[in-house]
């Protein structure tokens, strides 16, 4: 066994995600062997591609870092990027070795061939040398060869790893370190789950690198990924070496300055710090919200000794003299008689034995009714009840006795509080009548709660309320609640109206679930409105909304004229006229802060919308409103768009409840956009039970999407949803710095349509009648000054997303992440959340990292769904893919992202088969539409001929959706709105040609590239995918095209390669040189059909 008690040791640093695993090996003779075993995985990582962190520079343009991709693991030495830091000493040899690798990776230069050959030779020799030197470890009598458990990623011809290779390398180093730690520490202080995961990773990586036959699809897919990335890396480094040697005037790249490595390391540290701080703030926000809204579990009320004593006195007053034993005497402490008579034999415990008879004494009722002098005489028998000093209790007990009811020891009755809380006690009429008899002797009564007493009759409650009309009570009553008294009716409501008129300080009135007759609704509203001190009203499930619309309008106008702060009218049936009137009335109200309209939308003739839309449209007028409950109102994605538009500048609305509504993904998108908008004050929304709902139909073109704005919109302006959609289009046009008439062109209209204008509150005022068909001109948007500095199609995507999509405001990011954290463990709800984010949001890598690390079980799905929503740079893609937990998880997620990873926006020409249900494939379709419109603009500016298949200048050819031609649905590909389902197939033929400073590829470099392809001996499809991803850096002539096509035996692969490199041809006049590679005429026809007959 290896002893850890050694002063000198070697330090192993393995960057696995964001953790630096630091392990110390003990013996000096073991140090060199472990270092040699570890050198194989560290060297390729030190020489792997580096990430260009600069957001201002394109990683493939002159003046940048010259390369895509990655932060070397040895940067951890400078930045100490770790979540668990162990302060261990490195020996001088290890430090010198790390400095050597750091200088190589940070200098930006390239090594000579002799250095590369020597390094590769050392790498290939390390594991064999270590095995020959007897590199074995023993544990518990078992011998294992470490070299057999550390398969190297350095295979034939693959000296550099790609994204997937780097991930496996990091996982392998981390897993190996954990196993070595387990061997040295005897697995005492190690989490067993970590060891199991490490062993599974080692086994999986070994299977990837092993060439034995297997039927496991995951292993086969992993091997294909490794082959593809090895070939990609070799060709990439050939191109980087060539580009850095070229002068800048000819398209060369600057060398990376030595200080860039430290900048990247500090940037990585800042991102890690941002994620940790954000998690802390999110947890604090959730806790504060629960405290403010009383959502935490309340502790049980402690029963004091004083309360117990009052309860005992109450029952003693009622029971003391009703029944007595003849030998009892009164106890001074508790008021009970004990057996102490000497002439009565007792048992050992003090109880009487022998003959004892029950004697009927004067009952409490007779004493109270007859006012017996025995009760009042000072010489009265001690066995008699002492007089009741409190008249309120005397009246109550007398009434209970007369009605043969057992009294209730309420805190109000026993004199403990000045409020009567009888909620949920199932009171009957005799009980409430007994309480009513005690009212004349009550000095003050602040609160009355009779909730959920369903057995009380209407007349009994009315009699009780009339007994409350005492001067001492009406001047002190603050709250009255009759919720759940379902038998309360006309008499009760009349009594409530009279009581409201008599009170002076009543602030809270709850009549929920009390049926209010039609003729009593207006008098009740008038009484409420007349009392300015009445602030909180609950009229839920009271039958409001029935009768003529004019009547309910008068009621709501009367109600809103008061000084109400809380108004609850849920569980009624309101029409569109009521909601429209309510929105108008709230414009003049300056006090209402809480409004509850849950389950109040009546059925409407138009089942696609809810009547509550008429209120949501005018929500911006209710400026004091802070909390709104519109749950269970059939609110779908259309209603959410109306809500999002209305609250854009609403600063006071903080909390909205949308639970139990069929929102779906499209509805949830609107909620998240509203929450992330910095111009409103929304802090929290509740969508419990609303994650499934209606989705737009295939023929539904009136759907708002920030990524698919182009196309026609047929708007009926008498509907709130269409008016809100028009206003949202106006806001989208504003973001491109245009006026609405410049982008939204009128195709047809009725009744003289004219574009709206903004009012003093910043709200677009639009027509409320007529019908109009508008066309959103995406071409005009791309001509904005915002795109003036964009020089290539790759930058178009990033700039368009920055302008059109939603960026979470810094002050709203915590609230957005708090909503995400509350869904932890709910898989379906989390799926809807990330899908909504992927459609409309433009996130940073730090925000994606925070979302992924919040839920460990949903991490892989979160990354897979949202990787298309981060800035389209290789650095962000690489870092996001390094966050997977295991190798198996990485393989499965990369398979789902295969189309997105292979997509090259700088050379989009090729065939696409996209499953639009996957967010990554849907993002490719949106980007192709954007690139198509961008290239249409370029073609018009350069006055190129129209080579499209349909004569609309579109670069999309043979487009099929659901097996039908896309041209049968829309005039052009740019007018199509991407749905979220089914399959899209198309051929894209770009017209982008080489820039003036880009020369023909050097023949020696071209020969090296062909040699790299031959040496890897990869499948033709892998080679085609690699060449397509790097085609934007390659410019060839007809002769080189012929040589390139000769690599592929399959006609389909030759056609795909030719289509990919057609725009990269420096000259196309010598087409006979490469056309000889196509033997069949059908291949030529297929090629011409994909590119265009006039171009090919």
């Amino acid at each position: 066994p290896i002893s850890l008690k050694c002063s000198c040791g070697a330090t192993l640093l393995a960057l696995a995600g964001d953790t630096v695993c630091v392990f110390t090996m003990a013996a000096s003779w073991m140090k060199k062997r472990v270092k040699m075993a570890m050198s194989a995985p560290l060297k390729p990582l030190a020489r792997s591609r580096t990430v260009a962190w600069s957001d201002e520079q394109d990683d493939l343009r002159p003046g940048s870092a010259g390369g895509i991709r990655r932060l070397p693991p040895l940067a951890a030495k400078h930045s100490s990027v770790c979540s668990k830091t162990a302060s261990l000493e490195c020996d001088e040899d290890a430090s010198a070795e790390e400095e050597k690798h750091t200088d190589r990776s940070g200098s930006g230069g390239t090594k000579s061939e002799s250095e590369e050959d020597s390094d590769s030779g050392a790498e290939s020799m390390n594991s064999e040398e270590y095995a020959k030197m007897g590199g074995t470890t023993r544990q518990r009598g078992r011998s294992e060869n470490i070299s057999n458990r550390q398969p190297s990623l350095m295979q034939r011809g693959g000296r550099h790893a790609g994204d997937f290779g780097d991930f496996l390398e990091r996982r392998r180093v981390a897993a190996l370190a954990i196993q070595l730690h387990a061997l040295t520490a005897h697995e005492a202080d190690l989490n067993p789950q970590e060891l199991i995961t490490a062993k599974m990773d080692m086994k999986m990586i070994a299977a990837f690198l092993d060439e034995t036959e297997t039927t496991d699809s995951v292993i086969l897919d992993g091997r294909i990924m490794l082959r593809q990335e090895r070939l990609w890396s070799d060709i990439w480094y050939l191109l980087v070496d060539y580009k850095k040697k070229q002068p800048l005037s000819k398209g060369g790249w600057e060398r990376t300055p030595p200080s860039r490595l430290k900048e990247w390391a500090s940037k990585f540290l800042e991102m890690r710090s941002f994620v940790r701080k954000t998690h802390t703030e999110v947890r604090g926000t959730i806790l504060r919200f629960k405290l403010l809204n009383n959502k935490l579990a309340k502790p049980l009320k402690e029963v004091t000794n004083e309360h117990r004593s009052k309860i005992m006195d109450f029952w003693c007053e009622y029971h003391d003299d009703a029944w007595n034993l003849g030998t009892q005497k009164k106890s001074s402490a508790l008021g009970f008689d004990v057996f102490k008579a000497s002439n009565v034999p007792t048992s050992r415990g003090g109880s009487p034995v022998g003959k004892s008879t029950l004697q009927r004494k004067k009952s409490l009722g007779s004493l109270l009714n007859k006012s017996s002098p025995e009760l009042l005489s000072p010489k009265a028998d001690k066995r008699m009840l002492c007089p009741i000093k409190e008249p309120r209790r005397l009246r109550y007990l007398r009434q209970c006795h007369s009605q043969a009811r057992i009294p209730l020891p309420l805190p109000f009755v026993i004199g403990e509080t000045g409020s009567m809380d009888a909620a949920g006690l199932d009171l009957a009429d005799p009980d409430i009548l007994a309480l009513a008899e005690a009212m004349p002797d009550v000095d003050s009564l602040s609160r009355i709660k009779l909730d959920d007493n369903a057995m009380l009759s209407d007349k009994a409650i009315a009699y009780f309320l009339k007994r409350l009309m005492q001067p001492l009570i009406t001047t002190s009553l603050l709250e009255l609640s009759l919720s759940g008294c379902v038998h309360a009716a006309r008499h009760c409501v009349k009594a409530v109206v009279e009581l409201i008129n008599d009170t002076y300080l009543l602030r809270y009135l709850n009549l929920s679930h009390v049926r209010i007759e039609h003729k009593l609704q207006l008098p009740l509203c008038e009484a409420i409105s007349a009392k300015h001190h009445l602030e909180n009203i609950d009229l839920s499930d009271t039958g409001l909304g029935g009768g003529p619309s004019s009547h309910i309008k008068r009621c709501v106008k009367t109600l809103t004229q008061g000084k109400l702060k809380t108004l609850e009218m849920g569980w009624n049936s309101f029409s569109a006229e009521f909601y429209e009137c309510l929105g108008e009335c709230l414009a003049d109200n300056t006090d209402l802060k809480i409004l509850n309209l849950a389950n109040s939308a009546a059925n409407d003739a138009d089942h696609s919308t809810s009547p509550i839309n008429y209120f949501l449209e005018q929500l911006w007028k209710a400026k004091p409103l802070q909390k709104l409950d519109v749950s269970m109102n059939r609110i779908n994605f259309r209603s959410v768009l109306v809500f999002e538009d209305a609250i854009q500048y609403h600063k006071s609305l903080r909390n909205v409840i949308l639970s139990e509504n069929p929102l779906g993904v499209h509805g949830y998108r609107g909620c998240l956009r509203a929450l992330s908008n910095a111009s409103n004050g929304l802090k929290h929304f509740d969508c419990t039970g609303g994650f499934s709902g209606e989705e737009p139909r295939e023929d539904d073109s009136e759907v708002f999407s920030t990524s698919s704005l182009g196309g026609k919109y047929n708007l009926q302006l008498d509907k709130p949803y269409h008016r809100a959609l028009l206003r949202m289009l106006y806001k989208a046009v504003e973001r491109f710095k245009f006026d609405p008439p410049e982008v939204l062109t009128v195709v047809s209209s009725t009744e003289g349509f004219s574009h709206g204008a903004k009012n003093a509150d910043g709200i677009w005022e639009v027509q409320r009648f007529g019908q109009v068909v508008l066309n959103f001109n995406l071409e005009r948007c791309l001509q904005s000054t915002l795109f003036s500095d964009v020089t290539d199609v790759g930058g178009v995507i990033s700039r368009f997303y920055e302008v059109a999509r939603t960026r979470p405001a810094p002050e709203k990011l915590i609230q957005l992440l708090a909503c995400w954290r509350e869904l932890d463990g709910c898989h379906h709800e989390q799926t809807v959340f990330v899908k909504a984010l992927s459609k409309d949001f433009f996130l940073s890598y730090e925000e994606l990292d925070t979302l992924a690390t919040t839920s460990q079980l949903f991490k892989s799905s979160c990354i897979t769904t949202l990787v298309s929503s981060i800035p389209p740079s290789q650095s962000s893609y690489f870092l996001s893919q390094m966050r997977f937990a295991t190798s198996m998880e990485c393989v499965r997620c990369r398979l789902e992202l295969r189309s997105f990873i292979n997509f090259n926006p700088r050379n989009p020409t090729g065939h696409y088969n996209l499953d639009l249900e996957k967010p990554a494939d849907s993002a490719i379709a949106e980007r192709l539409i954007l690139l198509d419109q961008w290239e249409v603009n370029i073609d018009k500016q350069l006055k190129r001929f129209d080579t499209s298949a349909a004569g609309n200048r579109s670069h999309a050819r043979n487009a099929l959706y659901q097996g039908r031609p896309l041209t049968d649905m829309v005039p052009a590909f740019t007018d199509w709105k991407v749905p979220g389902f089914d399959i899209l197939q198309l051929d894209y033929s770009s017209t982008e040609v080489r820039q003036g400073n880009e020369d023909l590829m050097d023949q020696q470099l071209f020969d090296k590239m062909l040699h790299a392809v031959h040496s890897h001996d990869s499948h033709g499809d892998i080679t085609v995918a690699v060449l397509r991803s790097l085609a934007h850096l390659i410019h060839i002539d007809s002769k080189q095209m012929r040589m390139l096509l000769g690599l592929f035996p399959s006609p389909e692969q030759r056609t795909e390669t030719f289509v990919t490199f057609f725009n990269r041809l420096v000259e196309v006049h010598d087409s006979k040189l490469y056309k000889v590679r196509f033997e069949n005429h059908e291949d030529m026809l297929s090629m011409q059909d994909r590119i265009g007959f006039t171009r090919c």
Side-chain angles (χ1 to χ4, degrees):
I2 304 175
S3 174
L4 292 178
K5 298 178 181 180
C6 184
S7 59
C8 63
T11 302
L12 172 65
L13 298 175
L15 182 60
D18 63 337
T19 306
V20 176
C21 304
V22 184
F23 297 94
T24 301
M25 309 309 299
S28 59
W29 57 270
M30 190 67 178
K31 177 185 65 176
K32 295 182 179 180
R33 299 181 181 180
V34 173
K35 188 189 301 181
M36 293 178 66
M38 297 301 105
S39 61
L42 286 178
K43 282 186 178 180
L45 288 179
R47 298 191 309 165
S48 62
R49 296 169 289 178
T50 55
V51 183
W53 285 104
S54 176
D55 294 332
E56 300 177 356
Q57 295 177 345
D58 193 344
D59 49 8
L60 293 180
R61 290 190 301 168
S64 68
I68 324 181
R69 309 236 207 207
R70 72 187 52 130
L71 182 66
L74 294 179
K77 175 182 179 297
H78 298 280
S79 60
S80 302
V81 185
C82 59
S83 58
K84 299 178 181 178
T85 305
S87 56
L88 300 173
E89 295 182 355
C90 282
D91 60 343
E92 297 179 357
D93 295 337
S95 299
E97 184 71 11
E98 291 174 359
E99 290 289 346
K100 183 178 179 181
H101 286 293
T102 304
D103 292 339
R104 287 181 181 177
S105 59
S107 63
T110 55
K111 298 190 297 184
S112 63
E113 295 182 0
S114 59
E115 291 176 340
E116 291 181 348
D117 292 339
S118 61
D119 284 346
S120 61
E123 292 161 0
S124 61
M125 183 181 62
N126 278 333
S127 58
E128 298 177 0
E129 255 189 7
Y130 180 69
K132 291 179 180 179
M133 294 174 65
T136 58
T137 58
R138 296 181 179 275
Q139 180 188 17
R140 301 176 185 174
R142 182 180 53 176
S143 175
E144 291 183 320
N145 193 326
I146 298 180
S147 62
N148 293 334
R149 295 189 298 156
Q150 50 162 358
S152 175
L153 295 179
M154 304 301 142
Q155 297 294 315
R156 296 188 302 270
R159 295 173 296 178
H160 308 286
D163 291 355
F164 182 58
D166 273 8
F167 176 81
L168 295 182
E169 192 74 12
R170 298 174 193 277
R171 294 299 306 169
R172 181 170 73 90
V173 173
L176 181 60
I178 291 174
Q179 293 193 20
L180 289 174
H181 181 62
L183 291 174
T184 57
H186 300 285
E187 304 182 9
D189 56 347
L190 189 69
N191 187 357
Q193 186 62 36
E194 294 181 3
L195 183 59
I196 294 174
T197 304
K199 290 181 177 179
M200 291 177 62
D201 269 343
M202 292 291 290
K203 183 179 179 180
M204 181 65 66
I205 296 170
F208 287 152
L209 301 178
D210 194 2
E211 297 297 333
T212 58
E213 295 184 0
T214 180
T215 57
D216 193 340
S217 60
V218 176
I219 296 176
L220 294 176
D221 292 330
R223 291 176 182 177
I224 293 175
M225 292 179 191
L226 283 176
R227 294 191 188 102
Q228 180 174 340
E229 290 196 346
R230 291 190 186 112
L231 178 58
W232 188 96
S233 300
D234 283 349
I235 300 177
W236 165 256
Y237 275 94
L238 290 173
L239 297 173
V240 170
D241 186 20
Y242 176 77
K243 287 288 185 180
K244 287 192 174 183
K245 291 179 180 179
Q246 294 295 315
L248 297 179
S249 60
K250 294 186 177 181
W253 293 345
E254 288 184 354
R255 294 182 180 273
T256 306
S259 60
R260 184 65 58 85
L261 182 62
K262 292 185 178 180
E263 295 176 6
W264 295 340
S266 62
K267 177 68 175 179
F268 192 77
L269 270 179
E270 292 175 2
M271 291 191 300
R272 294 275 66 127
S273 177
F274 172 83
V275 173
R276 289 194 296 269
K277 290 180 180 179
T278 304
H279 280 306
T280 304
E281 293 180 10
V282 168
R283 288 192 292 266
T285 300
I286 295 176
L287 182 59
R288 285 193 298 271
F289 178 79
K290 291 182 178 179
L291 289 173
L292 293 175
N293 293 273
N294 299 323
K295 289 190 175 184
L296 295 178
K298 297 181 179 180
L300 296 177
K301 184 178 179 181
E302 183 179 358
V303 180
T304 62
N305 292 330
E306 182 182 0
H307 177 74
R308 294 191 182 96
S309 177
K310 289 185 178 182
I311 293 294
M312 293 294 294
D313 292 343
F314 173 80
W315 288 116
C316 288
E317 290 173 352
Y318 180 70
H319 287 291
D320 185 61
D321 245 333
W323 292 91
N324 271 322
L325 288 173
T327 57
Q328 285 182 333
K329 291 186 178 181
K330 198 170 184 67
S331 172
S332 59
L334 299 176
F336 290 112
D337 293 335
V338 294
F339 297 94
K340 292 184 179 179
S342 59
N343 57 348
V344 179
T346 59
S347 62
R348 182 176 300 178
S351 60
V353 295
K355 294 182 179 180
S356 61
T357 58
L358 291 174
Q359 298 180 2
R360 180 68 175 174
K361 307 292 289 185
K362 291 183 179 181
S363 66
L364 177 64
S366 61
L367 291 175
L368 294 176
N369 289 331
K370 297 178 181 180
S371 299
S372 174
E374 298 178 356
L375 185 63
L376 305 176
S377 174
K379 298 181 180 180
D381 190 355
K382 294 183 179 180
R383 292 177 296 175
M384 303 303 296
L385 180 66
C386 296
I388 301 176
K389 297 181 180 180
E390 188 173 350
R392 170 175 51 184
R393 191 158 59 250
L394 177 63
R395 285 176 172 272
Y396 177 68
L397 292 176
R398 180 182 298 173
Q399 184 66 21
C400 289
H401 178 75
S402 65
Q403 298 291 335
R405 303 292 297 183
I406 299 177
L408 299 175
L410 302 175
F412 165 74
V413 175
I414 65 179
E416 189 175 20
T417 62
S419 60
M420 187 178 72
D421 187 356
L425 297 181
D426 292 333
L427 300 181
D429 287 353
D431 298 322
I432 197 68
L433 293 177
L435 290 172
E437 290 300 322
M439 292 299 114
D441 294 322
V442 175
D443 296 335
S444 65
L445 185 60
S446 61
R447 184 177 65 176
I448 299 176
K449 292 188 66 175
L450 296 176
D451 302 348
D452 301 325
N453 288 292
M455 293 189 296
L456 295 177
S457 65
D458 179 30
K459 292 184 178 181
I461 299 175
Y463 177 78
F464 173 78
L465 294 177
K466 290 180 180 180
R467 298 287 288 182
L468 295 176
M469 297 178 190
Q470 308 290 334
L472 296 178
I473 297 180
T474 55
T475 56
S476 60
L477 186 61
L478 299 177
E479 299 181 11
L480 175 62
S481 179
L482 301 177
S483 174
C485 297
V486 294
H487 294 295
R490 181 176 68 256
H491 298 88
C492 175
V493 176
K494 288 182 178 180
V496 168
V497 173
E498 295 177 5
L499 182 62
I500 292 175
N501 293 327
D502 288 346
T503 55
Y504 295 91
L505 300 176
L506 185 64
R507 296 183 179 179
Y508 176 77
L509 176 63
N510 188 349
L511 297 179
S512 59
H513 310 292
V514 175
R515 308 305 296 178
I516 302 177
E517 292 184 359
H518 175 71
K519 63 180 181 180
L520 295 177
Q521 292 176 359
L522 185 58
L524 177 63
C525 294
E526 291 175 349
I528 293 173
S529 177
K531 295 296 182 179
H532 290 177
H533 52 77
L534 194 54
E535 298 177 347
N536 304 313
I537 299 295
D538 191 348
L539 299 177
S540 303
D541 192 20
T542 55
L544 292 177
S549 60
S550 58
H551 173 75
I552 188 60
K553 287 182 180 180
R554 291 183 59 189
C555 291
V556 69
K557 288 180 180 179
T558 305
L559 272 178
T560 54
Q561 289 174 358
K563 298 296 182 180
L564 297 179
K565 293 184 178 180
T566 302
L567 178 60
E568 300 189 20
M569 294 190 296
W571 295 89
N572 291 298
S573 181
F574 296 138
S575 62
E577 291 81 2
F578 168 83
Y579 286 117
E580 190 170 7
C581 179
L582 178 62
E584 295 174 354
C585 293
L586 292 183
D588 301 326
N589 189 289
T590 59
D591 300 294
L592 189 63
K593 296 182 178 180
I594 300 176
L595 180 61
N596 187 345
L597 296 174
N599 194 23
S600 60
N603 291 327
D604 195 68
D606 186 4
H607 298 287
S608 62
T609 60
S610 174
I612 203 171
N613 291 358
Y614 290 89
F615 168 72
L616 296 178
E617 186 182 16
Q618 304 183 71
L619 193 58
W620 62 274
K621 298 179 180 180
K623 296 180 180 179
L625 194 63
Q626 297 180 1
K627 182 178 179 179
L628 176 65
D629 187 353
V630 287
S631 56
M632 294 180 287
N633 279 305
R634 306 190 309 280
I635 293 178
N636 54 13
F637 69 92
R638 299 179 180 87
S639 302
V640 172
L641 187 71
V642 178
F643 167 77
E644 178 190 359
D645 167 62
I647 70 164
Q648 181 174 2
Y649 300 107
H650 203 302
K651 293 293 185 180
S652 59
L653 187 60
R654 303 297 180 89
N655 189 6
V656 177
I657 301 176
L658 295 167
S659 58
E660 306 301 332
N661 283 304
L663 302 178
V665 176
H666 274 74
Y668 209 74
R669 288 166 61 180
C671 295
L672 294 181
R673 289 196 303 263
L675 182 63
S676 303
N677 196 336
S679 59
N680 62 46
L682 188 62
K683 298 293 184 181
H684 182 268
F685 67 89
D686 183 5
C687 290
T688 305
F691 293 90
S692 298
E694 179 187 359
E695 297 297 332
R697 301 185 304 271
E698 179 186 346
D699 57 344
D700 194 353
S701 61
E702 289 74 34
V703 178
F704 180 77
S705 176
T706 57
S707 301
S708 300
L709 294 171
K712 292 184 179 180
Y713 296 87
N714 188 357
L715 305 178
Q716 300 177 16
L717 299 179
D718 58 334
K719 296 183 178 180
Y721 170 66
H722 287 193
R723 293 194 294 267
L725 178 58
L726 179 58
R727 284 189 287 265
M728 293 297 292
L729 293 176
Y730 285 166
K731 296 171 187 177
V733 172
E734 281 187 309
R735 289 196 290 269
F736 290 95
K737 300 187 182 302
F738 284 116
D739 293 330
E742 297 182 70
V743 178
L744 290 170
T745 57
V746 179
V747 178
S748 63
S749 65
T750 60
E751 302 184 26
F753 171 80
S754 61
H755 286 287
K758 281 188 175 182
N759 59 16
D761 296 319
I763 305 298
W764 286 94
E765 296 287 351
V766 299
Q767 289 185 193
R768 305 177 67 89
F769 57 89
Q771 184 175 357
V772 61
V773 179
L774 298 175
N775 181 48
F776 192 97
N777 192 351
L778 185 61
E779 177 183 352
R780 180 61 174 156
C781 291
L782 296 180
Q783 296 173 1
S784 171
T785 56
L786 299 173
F787 297 86
S788 59
D789 58 338
V790 178
T791 58
D792 63 340
V793 293
V796 174
I797 298 174
S798 179
R799 184 62 53 84
F800 183 84
Y801 279 8
E802 290 176 3
V803 176
R805 285 200 168 195
T806 303
R807 292 293 299 267
E811 59 270 23
K812 290 296 194 72
L813 179 61
I814 302 301
Q815 282 73 27
L816 180 68
L817 295 175
C819 291
W820 167 250
R821 192 177 189 87
E822 289 178 342
L823 301 178
D824 189 14
C826 305
H827 187 272
H828 175 67
E829 288 79 359
Q830 288 179 314
T831 302
V832 173
F833 190 98
V834 295
K835 281 186 177 180
L837 285 179
S838 67
K839 296 295 183 181
D840 293 316
F841 280 75
F842 192 54
L843 306 172
S844 64
Y845 166 73
E846 295 92 331
E847 294 164 352
L848 173 59
D849 195 4
T850 307
L851 289 166
T853 53
T854 298
S855 178
Q856 296 298 326
L857 294 177
F858 202 75
K859 178 189 289 187
S860 59
S861 299
C862 180
I863 296 174
T864 305
T865 306
L866 295 179
V867 72
S868 59
S869 300
I870 59 178
S873 63
Q874 295 294 340
S875 58
S876 299
Y877 295 158
F878 168 75
L879 290 176
S880 61
Q881 294 179 63
M882 291 298 108
R883 304 301 295 164
F884 294 117
T886 62
S887 303
M888 177 81 71
E889 187 178 273
C890 180
V891 172
R892 290 176 177 173
C893 293
R894 284 179 65 91
L895 283 176
E896 189 172 349
L897 292 172
R898 176 180 294 175
S899 299
F900 185 79
I901 293 174
N902 294 334
F903 177 67
N904 185 0
R906 294 179 177 86
N907 184 43
T909 303
H911 180 74
Y912 295 90
N913 189 2
L914 304 176
D915 183 1
L916 299 181
E917 191 172 355
K918 298 180 180 179
D921 287 8
S922 179
I924 296 176
E926 292 177 354
R927 298 182 185 198
L928 288 175
I929 293 175
L930 184 61
L931 295 179
D932 186 19
Q933 187 62 68
W934 174 262
E935 293 198 67
V936 168
N937 290 358
I938 300 298
D939 293 343
K940 290 182 179 180
Q941 293 176 9
L942 299 179
K943 298 181 180 180
R944 293 172 179 167
F945 292 104
D946 184 6
T947 59
S948 61
N952 51 15
R953 289 190 173 272
S954 177
H955 299 76
R957 307 176 65 87
N958 309 318
L960 297 175
Y961 177 67
Q962 295 180 336
R964 296 181 298 169
L966 201 61
T967 53
D968 295 346
M969 307 176 189
V970 290
F973 181 57
T974 54
D975 296 331
W976 187 58
K977 294 181 177 62
V978 181
F981 52 89
D982 228 300
I983 304 297
L984 171 67
Q985 298 177 357
L986 78 152
D987 293 304
Y988 191 89
S989 177
S990 176
T991 55
E992 184 187 13
V993 295
R994 69 186 184 94
Q995 304 297 329
N997 60 346
E998 295 176 345
D999 294 335
L1000 178 67
M1001 187 180 219
D1002 184 69
Q1003 186 61 39
Q1004 293 183 356
L1005 177 61
F1006 185 78
D1007 293 340
K1008 290 182 180 180
M1009 184 181 71
L1010 295 182
H1011 177 71
V1013 174
H1014 277 292
S1015 61
H1016 278 270
D1017 193 21
S1018 299
H1019 191 269
D1021 294 336
I1022 296 177
T1023 306
V1024 170
V1026 170
L1027 294 176
R1028 182 177 176 181
S1029 62
L1030 296 172
H1032 59 284
L1033 299 175
I1034 302 173
H1035 298 86
I1036 58 178
D1037 58 11
S1038 299
K1039 183 178 179 181
Q1040 291 172 338
M1041 173 69 84
R1042 176 178 177 173
M1043 298 173 64
L1044 188 61
L1045 295 177
L1047 294 175
F1048 304 97
S1050 171
E1052 293 79 8
Q1053 295 169 0
R1054 288 196 295 267
T1055 302
E1056 188 67 33
T1057 305
F1058 173 78
V1059 171
T1060 301
F1061 285 93
F1062 179 76
N1063 291 331
R1064 321 315 296 176
L1065 281 171
V1066 177
E1067 45 82 19
V1068 295
H1069 304 293
D1070 296 334
S1071 59
K1072 59 183 180 180
L1073 294 177
Y1074 55 79
K1075 284 186 177 180
V1076 296
R1077 294 295 186 185
F1078 299 96
E1079 301 175 356
N1080 299 326
H1081 183 63
E1082 290 78 8
D1083 297 338
M1084 288 297 301
L1085 292 178
S1086 174
M1087 181 178 60
Q1088 292 175 349
D1089 186 42
R1090 294 179 58 180
I1091 296 179
F1093 288 90
T1094 59
R1095 298 184 61 208
C1096 183

